[in-house]
Amino acid sequence: MKQLSSFFKKALVCMAALSLTGMAQAGGDGKTWVDYVNPYIGNISHLLVPTFPTVQLPNSMLRVYPERADFTADRINGLPLIVTHHRERSAFNLSVYCGDIGSLRDNVISYTYDNERITPYSYSAYLDGAGVQVDYSLSHQSGIYRLQTACEGVPAYLLLNSGDGSLTVKDGSVSGWQQLDAKTRVYLYAELQQKPSQAYILAGGKAVRGTKAEGKSACVALAVSGGDLRLRYGVSFISTEQARKNLQREIKTYDVETVKAEARKVWNEALGRIELTGGCDRDKTIFYTSMYRYYERQICMSEDGLYYSASDGKAHKDNGSPYYTDDWIWDTYRAAHPLRVLLEAEKERDIIRSFVTMAQQTDSLWLPTFPESTGDSRRMNSNHTVAVVADALSKGITDFDVNTAYRAARNVIYNKSLAPWSANTPAGWLNAFYVKHGYIPALRHGEKEYLPEVNPNEKRQPIAVTLGTSYDEWCLSRIAAYLGKTSDSRYYENRSLNYRNVFNPETRFFHPKDSAGEFIKPFDYIFDGGMGARDFYGENNGWIYRWDVQHNIADLIRLHGGAEQFNADLDEMFNTPLGRSKFEFYAKLPDHTGNVGQFSMANEPSLHIPYLYNYSGRPWMTQKRIRTLLKEWFRNDLMGVPGDEDGGGMSAFVVFSMIGIYPVTPGLPVYNIGSPMFPSAKIHLSNGKTFEIVAQGASDVNKYIQSAALNGKQWDKPWLTHDDLVKGGRLVLVMGDKANRKWGARPEDAPPSGVK
């Protein structure tokens, strides 16, 4: 009874909040949208890479976060100037040193720190061992530091370091570059409010007077008076001169608070595109933090109408269409790109234009799959940029070179190797086999890999690639249909049924086959496949890939024997135990965290699964599952993200799911209805209109839809079309604490599938 009482107290707190919030811009306590963001959520991972507390404006080139091993690390390594790859690499470094320059041995100083505070637009901390108070803010391509030191009676120095490059001191400024790979450099221009009295070069543990440092860990030290130090800087991927222009265009002050106030406005404008009324502060924190992470990627590379492209290693004019990169599309096509279509259609158009441009700037004319500031790293499996293009076209974003996009989509599917993580490897034996037989063949247990195109660590992932490519071919059919290529569209749509070739009707799982067409037996759908199940699947086991047919769920239900068996199989997944100890399970499947039975909330191929009950006559189970999963795995704490947040994909799932809709099939202009967590969510659409989702009585307890009305008319379907949303209007859902098992449950109420 004590536990039950505690539960209802928490529920009452949430329900009481419904009448208290909505009185100010974002809440009755005077908070604005950005005040709800907690960058520390998820900074400690369950197993793999955690989130990082990134300081950045939405989709901007300049971003930083403290350089430390993880949140629990006791020290930070200097102060960052730019992170050039999402959560991976930084360039340049700033340190403060008090004392004899001749005693300095390290180019980057490791600091203990205290009282750290991070917002999306600012960083502050006290470097307690060194006695330095740090305050930082930024714009799109420039940033500013205020460093208050306790250097009394001893010299003070600012150290600027390039990991591999060159730095030059001239007239109180520092300019230079750092090499990121064979063809890509990032450039820096920095200036101090207080002109340094002397410049030194640090090399080999020695300091000598000089104004230019080059090579590995190139470092200059600037002698300054202690006290209040101000440094502002610009970054560029084009030149040091462009970095200077970027700074002078964006930051004209040495006052951090002025820059911070402007950056705060930018964030509130972005986050306010979805306006929540009511609900708990706890839930708003999860929601707006997820929106903040959605805005981490992609990044805009345009600088005064120019951009650097790693596709050909050159600078180009952007011709009025900003150029974007840094996107892991295997993750983000599912929800991040569809969310941008709703909120910022013009930006999504520019992103797709960037993808097409990247393809044109290479000899192969392949759409990218993992475009980054240093080029397309082509990680994971399949080629889901095709889905991004198809989804945009289905929702009215057509102002790009669709013909070239279509050719580049075909090329990347058929002319590039289908082997996962195969970089720029052209099509080989695997592709030829897939085209002829309609599946990727698996090796038998113990059989050694003999194809040079297969990455020895990532393996063939035959089921993941077969299912993923089937979906990509369906997306290709949608692009062909838009272009009026009817025969092409029909051909690719037929090929999109290739998932049937690896479906085992006896077990109702997608089951690996060898090159002779025989299912590999005996077989364990949980543990077979080595590390990450990559011999057969990819990061997740057979239970997750059992549902990986986003484009034809109606047919997937038929393969399972009908809705009743389909629902039973879904339920079984959520109730099947790990099968071994956690130690053994996660040693083999480290990406497969956030478990509810065999379901994994932590990995992107799972995101659509809870919504599948909508297709099989049990939308109330979608409502229950979604609410339960959001509450269990997405929380306002350091471990509040269940797995890798790979740059917006999982966070966009949270944004969609918390307001009550989700795009199960990118490429099909349809949104499934789930269970909204807020009494009102106003989506301020790209076209200037607003669509409001009202959930009357929504609370932790009231998660079930009792009835619905769309623009005043009764609505009995657990889905909406894109046209329903972009016209603007109102979806009103009456919520209750017990399931209405009739609402949306008729066969004719089910959401449409992509193949008719």
Side-chain angles (χ1 to χ4, degrees), residues 79 94-98 109 111 132 147 149 151 157-159 229:
L79 300 170
L94 173 68
S95 300
V96 184
Y97 176 69
C98 298
I109 298 177
Y111 298 106
V132 178
L147 307 166
T149 74
C151 300
Y157 298 90
L158 283 179
L159 279 61
L229 306 176

Side-chain angles (χ1 to χ4, degrees), residues 25-51:
Q25 182 183 3
D29 52 8
K31 287 183 177 180
T32 60
W33 314 120
V34 74
D35 295 322
Y36 286 102
V37 176
N38 178 5
Y40 293 109
I41 291 176
N43 285 184
I44 299 177
S45 68
H46 290 247
L47 278 182
L48 300 176
V49 180
T51 63

Side-chain angles (χ1 to χ4, degrees), residues 353-611:
R353 286 179 178 177
S354 301
F355 292 159
V356 175
T357 297
M358 290 175 200
Q360 291 173 314
Q361 290 171 350
T362 63
D363 295 333
S364 54
L365 194 67
W366 296 343
L367 283 179
T369 57
F370 266 58
E372 298 177 319
S373 59
T374 50
D376 188 6
S377 60
R378 299 201 173 274
R379 302 184 223 183
M380 299 304 294
N381 60 64
S382 307
N383 297 283
H384 295 321
T385 311
V386 183
V388 174
V389 174
D391 193 53
L393 291 174
S394 77
K395 295 171 182 175
I397 299 176
T398 62
D399 188 14
F400 59 93
D401 188 344
V402 183
N403 278 291
T404 300
Y406 177 60
R407 286 166 42 223
R410 283 190 310 182
N411 287 348
V412 78
I413 294 173
Y414 295 111
N415 296 340
K416 172 192 165 291
S417 174
L418 289 174
W421 293 67
S422 54
N424 293 317
T425 306
W429 185 87
L430 278 181
N431 292 63
F433 189 96
Y434 179 81
V435 169
K436 183 176 181 180
H437 300 284
Y439 71 96
I440 298 293
L443 298 176
R444 290 196 160 272
H445 296 298
E447 186 180 358
K448 291 185 178 181
E449 183 56 71
Y450 52 86
L451 295 175
E453 63 190 282
V454 176
N455 184 303
N457 296 316
E458 294 298 326
K459 311 298 181 63
R460 294 188 182 187
Q461 302 180 24
I463 296 298
V465 174
T466 298
L467 301 182
T469 305
S470 298
Y471 171 62
D472 290 342
E473 290 180 299
W474 175 79
C475 292
L476 190 58
S477 79
R478 299 301 84 212
I479 303 173
Y482 172 82
L483 291 171
K485 299 179 182 293
T486 305
S487 60
D488 282 8
S489 177
R490 190 179 303 114
Y491 172 76
Y492 295 123
E493 185 172 280
N494 287 336
R495 290 192 58 79
S496 78
L497 303 177
N498 279 336
Y499 59 85
R500 293 176 177 174
N501 296 328
V502 288
F503 186 79
N504 186 337
E506 293 182 5
T507 63
R508 300 184 303 282
F509 278 83
F510 290 106
H511 192 133
K513 281 182 175 178
D514 63 17
S515 58
E518 299 293 329
F519 286 124
I520 292 174
K521 296 180 180 179
F523 197 82
D524 185 335
Y525 293 113
I526 299 178
F527 292 109
D528 273 355
M531 177 62 75
R534 287 174 172 84
D535 287 341
F536 305 119
Y537 299 99
E539 294 194 348
N540 305 276
N541 64 25
W543 279 93
I544 300 303
Y545 283 96
R546 193 178 194 183
W547 318 102
D548 199 28
V549 185
Q550 292 169 263
H551 59 292
N552 201 1
I553 297 163
D555 189 47
L556 185 61
I557 292 172
R558 286 191 291 269
L559 289 175
H560 278 256
E564 185 176 350
Q565 185 61 60
F566 184 82
N567 289 327
D569 290 342
L570 274 171
D571 288 344
E572 185 185 13
M573 172 185 54
F574 287 100
N575 288 282
T576 297
L578 297 184
R580 296 182 190 174
S581 68
K582 288 184 178 180
F583 178 85
E584 293 176 287
F585 184 92
Y586 294 123
K588 294 203 72 170
L589 295 160
D591 296 270
H592 202 298
T593 54
N595 285 84
V596 180
Q598 288 297 322
F599 175 81
S600 167
M601 190 69 261
N603 207 255
E604 285 80 5
S606 299
L607 298 182
H608 71 289
I609 295 175
Y611 288 93

Side-chain angles (χ1 to χ4, degrees), residues 698-748:
S699 69
D700 284 353
V701 174
N702 294 337
K703 54 181 171 284
Y704 296 106
I705 297 170
Q706 306 300 301
S707 63
L710 178 62
N711 296 326
K713 296 181 179 180
Q714 182 176 328
W715 189 255
D716 292 324
K717 300 180 186 300
W719 57 279
L720 301 165
T721 69
H722 183 71
D723 283 346
D724 292 330
L725 266 70
V726 296
K727 288 176 185 175
R730 218 162 172 250
L731 174 67
V732 178
L733 306 173
V734 177
M735 309 300 291
D737 63 346
K738 294 179 177 61
N740 177 354
R741 301 191 181 207
K742 293 182 179 180
W743 183 83
R746 297 175 303 171
E748 59 266 32

